[in-house]
Amino acid sequence: MDKTVLLNKSMNEMTKTERDYLRNQLNERDMAEITNQLAEVKNNQEKFNVKLGIIEKTQEENKDEIDRLKQETNVLCAPIHHKRRNKFRKKAASRVRFLLGNDKAAPEYILFSAYFFKGIYADIAYQLELGNWDDMSMENYENPDSTYETAKEIRDNWRPEYKYFKRCLKELIEKRDNGILRPEKCRALTGFLNSTNNGKNVSFL
């Protein structure tokens, strides 16, 4: 059937067959256009889904980064916990004084206070697997099972192990023998060794 001739006819001039043919042609063209439009919509949707996926991935990465930064900065040495860190150190000082008799002029305190401070902080770092003792997490620090509460328990129950004490005493004696121990500590060391049978009878172990 000649489409050009058919299109030049009016509807009244067309036979039913011609009208059916023209209707089918129009329907096919409409379907083709709809198919093309649907394909374009699908293509645009796929592009949108890709962009949405990238945005969601970026948001998730940003959230993970924010959570990581929060975790890394919510530690005892952070400025926001400055007062708690100072209080923690004061409590450590109280523990050292308790172990050494609460007398800063006593030979034990003069000789071992610095070692005991170091020992408390080193044990906290070791037991909590930290690079430095005040890098401890402060997340939910008020909870009884928090890292902070664990550190406080370590601090408040700390005592020097015998090997640590002997190592500290040996270091003091070597410094004295090498002439690099301050006179005040030399006198304290002499008094301590005399009163404890060379460090065998001490109260803080």
Side-chain angles (χ1 to χ4, degrees), residues 15-201:
T15 65
K16 183 178 184 303
T17 302
E18 289 174 334
R19 289 196 302 273
D20 289 344
Y21 173 79
L22 184 59
R23 189 178 297 110
N24 288 336
Q25 290 294 306
L26 291 172
N27 286 339
E28 288 178 4
R29 176 170 290 186
D30 288 343
M31 287 300 297
E33 289 181 357
I34 291 171
T35 300
N36 289 336
Q37 289 172 356
L38 288 174
E40 186 176 354
V41 169
K42 182 180 179 182
N43 185 47
N44 290 336
Q45 183 65 46
E46 289 175 352
K47 289 180 180 178
F48 174 78
N49 289 340
V50 170
K51 290 181 180 179
L52 183 62
I54 293 172
I55 291 172
E56 289 176 345
K57 183 180 179 182
T58 302
Q59 287 178 334
E60 188 65 28
E61 289 174 350
N62 289 341
K63 180 181 180 299
D64 291 344
E65 180 67 11
I66 290 170
D67 290 344
R68 184 185 66 81
L69 289 173
K70 280 183 178 179
Q71 188 173 6
E72 289 181 356
T73 55
N74 189 21
V75 291
L76 185 60
C77 60
I80 191 173
H81 296 298
H82 177 72
K83 289 183 179 179
R84 290 184 188 88
R85 184 177 185 275
N86 285 344
K87 185 176 180 180
F88 193 98
R89 288 175 61 85
K90 287 178 181 178
K91 289 285 188 178
S94 296
R95 180 61 180 172
V96 171
R97 287 195 302 271
F98 171 78
L99 290 170
L100 296 174
N102 286 308
D103 182 3
K104 290 186 176 182
E108 291 85 353
Y109 191 90
I110 293 171
L111 295 171
F112 298 106
S113 58
Y115 287 113
F116 283 17
F117 278 118
K118 187 184 297 184
I120 289 173
Y121 297 135
D123 278 1
I124 290 172
Y126 175 75
Q127 292 188 46
L128 298 180
E129 299 181 350
L130 301 171
N132 196 53
W133 72 274
D134 56 0
D135 285 337
M136 71 181 76
S137 171
M138 294 298 285
E139 184 176 0
N140 301 320
Y141 66 88
E142 293 179 328
N143 288 353
D145 58 348
S146 68
T147 301
Y148 182 62
E149 288 297 322
T150 301
K152 286 166 63 176
E153 186 175 348
I154 295 170
R155 175 199 66 196
D156 295 341
N157 292 287
W158 187 87
R159 280 187 178 275
E161 292 184 356
Y162 181 73
K163 288 182 179 180
Y164 181 67
F165 162 68
K166 294 300 289 186
R167 188 165 72 247
C168 296
L169 182 60
K170 181 182 178 183
E171 183 177 297
L172 288 167
I173 292 171
E174 288 176 350
K175 285 184 176 180
R176 179 200 63 187
D177 294 346
N178 291 326
I180 57 175
L181 193 66
R182 295 202 314 267
E184 177 192 9
K185 288 195 173 184
C186 282
R187 292 191 294 271
L189 181 59
T190 299
F192 176 78
L193 293 174
N194 288 336
S195 64
T196 61
N197 190 18
N198 292 321
K200 294 177 182 177
N201 302 317

